[in-house]
């Protein structure tokens, strides 16, 4: 496994950007960690950070490198500041950057597959919201989603204004509309039962809506966890096997 720290320029944003990228490496002599043995092009997980974090948070709060070390999987972790992964009315086009420019750049630099069955999205908190938004606008791009503590509609009360995923904001029931669009995309939702930032009711409601629509959805709630379900989610038995079984 190789961890790359990448500095590059975004034409979409008009500024220099950062991301971390994990790439498989077929190691045999590394003590305590095996390396992936498959050749590229690799499956790719776009892993999205939360509101108060940046692209480096996944190495500091989780064991993501260890979890994927034996998999033919690349992990792309971009920095997007406090953008909510949205194209801003009077600001920068972060959704266009993450959804379109970033994959194109990564696939030009690294041996990554562009096929739908080889691309996944995941994220925590604001990154969970971004995961929903990416898939809602481009469901044909992703084989599976793993949102963690991320609501489809986010009410930040006194912290931030309420936000609803742009692509379903005008629907009478955003959850039902989201489920209709995503019923063919497998989803594994994680949430902390004591989350006081994004209430777990958000994920419970999305789980129910997807099941009602006939979607392929799993929901795991950690009863004693707050808005900190980073490592428990990725350490969940069967998660990575489930992710690699998605071929839609």
């Amino acid at each position: 496994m190789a961890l790359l720290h990448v500095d590059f320029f975004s034409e979409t944003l008009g500024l220099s950007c950062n991301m971390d990228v994990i790439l498989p490496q077929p190691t045999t002599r590394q003590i305590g960690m095996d390396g992936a043995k498959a050749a590229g092009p690799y499956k790719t997980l776009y892993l999205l950070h939360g509101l108060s974090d940046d692209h480096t948070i996944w190495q500091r709060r989780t064991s993501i490198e260890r979890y994927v070390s034996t998999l033919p999987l690349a992990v792309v972790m971009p920095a997007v500041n406090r953008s909510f992964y949205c194209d801003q009315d009077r600001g920068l086009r972060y959704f266009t950057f993450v959804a379109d420019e970033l994959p194109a750049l990564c696939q030009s630099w690294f041996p990554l597959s562009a096929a739908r069955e080889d691309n996944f999205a995941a994220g925590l908190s604001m990154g969970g919201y971004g995961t929903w938004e990416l898939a809602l606008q481009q469901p044909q791009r992703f084989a599976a989603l793993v949102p963690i503590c991320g609501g489809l509609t986010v009410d930040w009360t006194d912290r931030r204004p309420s936000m609803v995923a742009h692509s379903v904001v005008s629907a009478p029931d955003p959850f039902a509309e989201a489920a209709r669009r995503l019923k063919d995309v497998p989803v594994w939702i994680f949430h902390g039962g004591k989350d006081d930032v994004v209430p777990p009711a958000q994920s419970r409601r999305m789980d129910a809506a997807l099941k009602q629509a006939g979607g392929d959805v799993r929901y795991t709630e950690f009863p004693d966890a707050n808005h900190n379900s980073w490592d428990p989610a990725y350490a969940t038995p069967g998660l990575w096997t489930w992710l690699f079984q998605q071929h839609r």
Side-chain angles (χ1 to χ4, degrees):
M1 179 204 69
L3 174 64
L4 286 65
H5 307 288
V6 185
D7 301 310
F8 63 102
F9 186 81
S10 165
E11 293 288 343
T12 299
L13 302 177
L15 52 79
S16 295
C17 299
N18 314 99
M19 66 177 169
D20 285 345
V21 179
I22 296 172
L23 293 177
Q25 181 182 357
T27 58
T28 58
R29 299 181 62 188
Q30 188 172 13
I31 297 173
M33 184 181 293
D34 294 326
K37 298 177 176 61
Y42 300 121
K43 296 175 181 288
T44 308
L45 173 66
Y46 290 91
L47 189 52
L48 311 181
H49 68 75
L51 185 70
S52 60
D53 306 316
D54 65 9
H55 60 297
T56 68
I57 200 67
W58 297 105
Q59 288 84 50
R60 293 186 283 134
R61 298 285 180 86
T62 79
S63 294
I64 184 65
E65 296 175 52
R66 179 165 56 87
Y67 295 147
V68 303
S69 65
T70 62
L71 303 175
L73 176 72
V75 183
V76 176
M77 298 162 280
V80 301
N81 301 306
R82 299 168 71 89
S83 67
F84 272 89
Y85 301 89
C86 294
D87 284 350
Q88 300 164 349
D89 291 339
R90 295 179 177 82
L92 302 179
R93 295 183 297 145
Y94 275 98
F95 179 85
T96 301
F97 165 66
V98 174
D100 298 329
E101 184 181 21
L102 183 69
L105 288 173
C106 288
Q107 289 162 15
S108 71
W109 294 332
F110 311 117
L112 308 183
S113 171
R116 176 188 181 181
E117 62 266 22
D118 294 334
N119 283 270
F120 317 101
L124 175 93
S125 188
M126 182 186 77
Y129 174 93
T131 299
W132 290 121
E133 187 66 37
L134 276 175
L136 283 167
Q137 294 201 40
Q138 299 184 343
Q140 76 284 358
R141 293 277 297 276
F142 299 100
L145 312 175
V146 186
I148 305 172
C149 295
L152 179 77
T153 66
V154 183
D155 185 358
W156 295 92
T157 60
D158 61 337
R159 307 181 193 191
R160 293 287 178 276
S162 177
M163 294 191 68
V164 181
H166 287 184
S167 49
V168 294
V169 68
S170 60
D173 183 343
F175 291 89
E177 175 60 19
R180 184 188 68 80
R181 298 188 189 191
L182 297 178
K183 63 183 179 64
D184 295 325
V185 182
V187 183
W188 195 331
I189 305 170
F190 293 91
H191 218 113
K194 296 181 179 178
D195 192 337
D196 60 356
V197 179
V198 178
Q202 287 273 323
S203 289
R204 295 171 192 160
R205 189 172 174 186
M206 195 63 222
D207 172 52
L210 283 165
K211 287 175 178 172
Q212 179 67 29
D216 180 356
V217 58
R218 299 185 181 192
Y219 177 57
T220 299
E221 187 170 303
F222 305 106
D224 297 323
N226 201 307
H227 197 61
N228 55 0
S229 302
W230 308 74
D231 225 30
Y234 289 127
T236 297
L239 170 63
W240 298 101
T241 300
W242 171 86
L243 195 70
F244 267 68
Q245 289 175 341
Q246 308 311 316
H247 298 288
R248 296 295 182 93

